[in-house]
């Protein structure tokens, strides 16, 4: 965003009521926002894009306004007072509250530098508005004091002595107003020159319009001929479109038939492949049957061998049971024999002790 020149005063003045003595003193571009009146929190865009925002100074009233126009819509018309404050809320965004408009305006700039310039100008204009207000109050107080002094003293000399400073101040203000009026007159003269230029341009346009009016009938006839030719061509196009539609339908049918033929050919190739596979399988069927018979014979022989093995296993199981039974019987007999043997051994010991005793006695 860059500072731009002064806006079109003729266009702006018609929308916001600018007077001839109200001149732009600073202009920039920014995105304009207003606070949402319902929530008082959210920002609502007042412009779809960056628009011109200008400070205007009214020489007559010594007042300042911020004005912005988007097309034919006035989006900012805020008179600056000493009580207003411009606040920077971010590097590229600032806001101020306008109690008269009962809203809060926000400006979004494309650079921090532009925001700083606008804020500095706001502070400068605010200070100027304060000075103008103080001067106005001084004028009122001076006038009031002068009235009171005149009523008390009642002499012409005293009146002159009290009104001297006020007249000097009013004369200074009058000189300033004359300078502003001179500048305004110069601007009015410039606008009159521009108006005369516009009038001459309008005259040339009127002449051109009159010259072109003569050829309107000819253009109407040519237009009628072209319209008839256009209708004929449209009818021809409609016929061609109908023919094209029929051709497209035939093409679509041919495409469908072609696709169906391709599918049938593919199925035919698959069936032929299956048939070849079946033929190959039929050639190896006798060999497979021979192998099957051989395997069957082997299987029967294996079954016979298995049966024999099962019989042998059963016989071995029977022999094992008998051997276990004999082992148990032998264990019982061996146990009985050992018990008898123990008894005999005990008797032999007793007999030996008896013999030893007898030998000792003899």
């Amino acid at each position: 965003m860059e500072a731009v020149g002064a806006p079109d005063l003729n266009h702006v003045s018609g929308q916001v009521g600018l007077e001839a003595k109200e001149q732009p003193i600073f202009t920039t571009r920014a995105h304009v926002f207003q606070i949402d009146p319902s929530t008082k929190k959210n920002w609502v865009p007042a412009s779809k894009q960056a628009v011109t925002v200008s400070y205007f100074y009214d020489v007559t009233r010594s007042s300042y306004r911020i004005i912005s126009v988007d097309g034919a819509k006035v989006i900012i018309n805020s008179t600056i007072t000493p009580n207003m404050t411009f606040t920077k809320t971010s590097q590229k965004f600032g806001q101020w509250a306008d109690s008269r408009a009962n809203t809060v305006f926000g400006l979004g700039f494309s650079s921090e530098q532009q925001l700083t310039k606008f804020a500095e100008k706001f502070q400068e204009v605010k200070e100027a508005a304060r000075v103008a207000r103080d001067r106005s109050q001084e004028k009122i107080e001076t006038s009031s004091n002068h009235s009171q002094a005149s009523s008390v003293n009642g002499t012409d000399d005293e009146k002159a002595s009290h009104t001297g400073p006020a007249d000097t101040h009013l004369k200074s203000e009058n000189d300033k107003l004359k300078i502003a009026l001179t500048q305004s007159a110069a601007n009015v003269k410039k606008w009159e020159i521009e108006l005369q230029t516009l009038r001459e341009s309008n005259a040339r346009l009127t002449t051109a319009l009159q010259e072109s009016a003569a050829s309107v009938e000819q253009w109407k006839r040519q237009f009628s001929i072209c319209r008839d030719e256009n209708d004929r061509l449209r009818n021809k196009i409609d016929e061609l479109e109908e023919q094209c539609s029929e051709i497209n339908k035939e093409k679509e049918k041919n495409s469908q038939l072609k696709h169906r033929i391709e599918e049938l050919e593919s199925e035919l190739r698959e069936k032929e492949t299956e048939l070849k596979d079946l033929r190959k399988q039929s050639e190896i069927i006798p060999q497979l049957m021979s192998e099957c018979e051989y395997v069957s014979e082997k299987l029967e022989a294996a079954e016979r061998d298995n049966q024999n093995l099962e019989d042998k296993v059963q016989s071995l199981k029977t022999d094992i049971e008998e051997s276990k039974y004999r082992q148990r019987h032998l264990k019982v007999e061996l146990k009985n024999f050992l018990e008898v043997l123990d008894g005999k051994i005990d008797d032999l010991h007793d007999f030996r002790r008896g013999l030893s005793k007898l030998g000792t006695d003899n």
Side-chain angles (χ1 to χ4, degrees), residues 13-25:
S13 62
Q15 293 176 318
V16 296
L18 290 178
E19 298 181 359
K21 296 179 181 180
E22 196 167 7
Q23 299 295 327
I25 58 175

Side-chain angles (χ1 to χ4, degrees), residues 103-152:
T103 187
V104 179
F105 294 103
L107 297 180
F109 297 87
S110 62
S111 68
E112 185 177 1
Q113 181 182 5
Q114 292 297 324
L115 173 60
T116 302
K117 289 182 179 180
F118 189 89
E120 291 175 351
K121 196 64 180 179
F122 192 97
Q123 187 64 27
E124 177 184 340
V125 168
K126 173 184 172 182
E127 183 64 21
R130 185 187 66 77
V131 172
R133 183 189 64 180
D134 293 344
R135 287 180 178 177
S136 176
Q137 289 178 354
E138 288 176 0
K139 289 180 182 180
I140 295 172
E141 291 175 357
T142 302
S143 176
S144 176
N145 293 333
H146 171 65
S147 298
Q148 292 176 359
S150 298
S151 61
V152 172

